Amino acid sequence: MKDYQNIAKQFATKHGFDIVHYCSEVNGYSYFLLDFSDKPHYTGHPHVVKISTTGKISVVADLDEIYWAVNQITKDGQ
């Protein structure tokens, strides 16, 4: 089994993000919210990536999918 959290952390570090939050898993994709820890939050929409079962990372661009993933964090109380 792939370590999706670790894959997301490596991607986040490479792209200047400090925080990785697991959102949910659906249809074979694991969703993660990436955020900055010490920078102002005026970066626009949240940054969400999804990782397939093969380990391929895709940046989520669809706003409905982005906010669905963010709302999954809120539902789970994380």
Side-chain angles (χ1 to χ4, degrees):
M1 182 173 166
K2 296 201 179 299
D3 184 2
Y4 298 111
Q5 183 77 25
N6 190 35
I7 294 170
K9 282 183 182 180
Q10 289 175 4
F11 180 86
T13 301
K14 182 179 177 182
H15 291 88
F17 295 98
D18 302 313
I19 299 171
V20 176
H21 290 290
Y22 172 77
C23 297
S24 186
E25 185 175 335
V26 69
N27 296 332
Y29 288 97
S30 296
Y31 287 81
F32 293 88
L33 171 68
L34 309 180
D35 206 351
F36 302 101
S37 65
D38 59 351
K39 297 180 179 112
H41 296 281
Y42 54 82
T43 58
H45 296 290
H47 300 278
V48 175
V49 294
K50 61 183 179 180
I51 304 173
S52 71
T53 55
T54 61
K56 182 180 179 225
I57 299 175
S58 301
V59 176
V60 179
D62 179 62
L63 292 179
D64 290 335
E65 193 174 8
I66 289 171
Y67 285 101
W68 170 84
V70 171
N71 285 331
Q72 296 308 303
I73 295 173
T74 307
K75 283 183 183 178
D76 294 339
Q78 294 179 359

